[in-house]
Amino acid sequence: MSSSLTTPDAELLARGELTVRGQVREASNAVLYCSVAYEGREAACVYKPVAGERPLWDFPDGTLAEREVAAYEISEATGWGLIPPTVLRDGPYGQGMVQLWIEADPEARLLALTEDAEAGEGWKAVGPAQLDEERTALLVHADTPELRRLAVLDAVINNGDRKGGHLLPAPDGRLYGIDHGVTFHVEDKLRTLLWGWAGEELPAEAAGVLDALDRSLTPGAALAARLADLLTGAEVAAVRARVEALRATGRHPEPSGQWPSIPWPPV
């Protein structure tokens, strides 16, 4: 099934002619840089064929590609647009995930290390980082509404791999998150660099979004039906349970202590 074609970019990705231009070599799974063209429009994109995925022992069901598309569907349902348009389709190497390419602003700073004991104004503390055998620093992330929205989205999709390199601040000021293949586990797998708001009360905006998301996940609703094509029944039920838990506590989640809370490598 293709992702719902809710935007012109999603339609371009789903229906356009896909041409492989190169490969992203540092990725752990096959990631191909492509162009896609449809009805006079052309854009750069990423194509991750299922055939190039490495099996994960703790994710025996489904594929990375399906989970990436499911994450996009939830992002769209929030109205925040935090994940680039993403579809599931056939390509030169079989079915895979195709996502709009986002050029990050090299001047934007979302993460930093400071030797101060506390995060400064405009920053939130994540925790200590070992620089060498004798020196430590404080890892901090920016305190912005966009980054906070992404922290909420990660809690909903149970993101097990929110690294610094998966944050893409665009030149137009928008923020995108990418690489959502390790998501939607039924157990708590949240690993992220965005712990700065842990335990804090959710903003009113986020609470309203979670209320709407809860309604959208009702069995038989359109979003629930789309997720059912991409995830197992247990995984969809776990999404609903996480949304209900966030609504009940009204707070950002905290590390469980049963699983490493910071992904490795962090960048």
Side-chain angles (χ1 to χ4, degrees), residues 134-147:
E134 299 180 354
R135 294 187 306 145
T136 61
L138 183 64
L139 176 63
V140 298
H141 65 66
D143 184 8
T144 69
E146 294 79 16
L147 212 55

Side-chain angles (χ1 to χ4, degrees), residues 6 55 81 119 260:
T6 55

Side-chain angles (χ1 to χ4, degrees), residues 55-255:
L56 298 173
W57 67 268
D58 54 344
F59 284 84
D61 300 311
T63 64
L64 302 180
E66 288 171 319
R67 290 189 286 274
E68 293 241 31
V69 175
Y72 168 69
E73 294 285 358
I74 294 216
S75 170
E76 287 299 283
T78 66
W80 286 335
L82 293 168
I83 297 177
T86 310
V87 302
L88 191 67
R89 58 163 288 178
D90 286 331
Y93 299 100
Q95 188 180 67
M97 179 278 279
V98 178
Q99 184 176 82
L100 191 69
W101 179 271
I102 301 295
E103 287 288 350
D105 180 358
E107 302 300 320
R109 293 179 70 234
L110 297 177
L111 297 166
L113 290 169
T114 177
E115 296 185 2
D116 295 335
E118 298 181 357
E121 184 177 355
W123 297 90
K124 301 290 287 188
V126 179
Q130 195 73 36
L131 299 181
D132 53 40
E133 293 183 358
E134 299 180 354
R135 294 187 306 145
T136 61
L138 183 64
L139 176 63
V140 298
H141 65 66
D143 184 8
T144 69
E146 294 79 16
L147 212 55
R148 193 166 189 174
R149 291 169 182 165
L150 192 59
V152 174
L153 177 65
D154 282 344
V156 170
I157 67 176
N158 198 14
N159 193 349
D161 197 30
R162 177 60 73 204
K163 299 175 180 177
H166 299 170
L167 302 172
L168 298 182
D172 63 2
R174 293 192 62 179
L175 173 69
Y176 295 95
I178 60 169
D179 285 346
H180 298 101
V182 187
T183 50
F184 295 105
H185 203 285
V186 296
E187 299 175 7
D188 181 7
K189 298 280 189 179
L190 186 58
R191 289 184 296 181
T192 176
L193 291 178
L194 304 181
W195 287 116
W197 299 283
E200 292 187 14
E201 187 175 347
L202 290 168
E205 175 201 36
V209 165
L210 290 169
D211 288 344
L213 195 56
D214 184 62
R215 293 190 294 271
S216 298
L217 290 167
T218 302
L223 176 61
R226 289 198 294 274
L227 293 181
D229 285 335
L230 299 164
L231 306 171
T232 67
E235 288 167 338
V236 176
V239 176
R240 192 177 301 114
R242 287 192 296 271
V243 171
E244 291 173 352
L246 287 167
R247 294 175 66 227
T249 65
R251 295 184 177 277
H252 287 272
E254 299 182 76

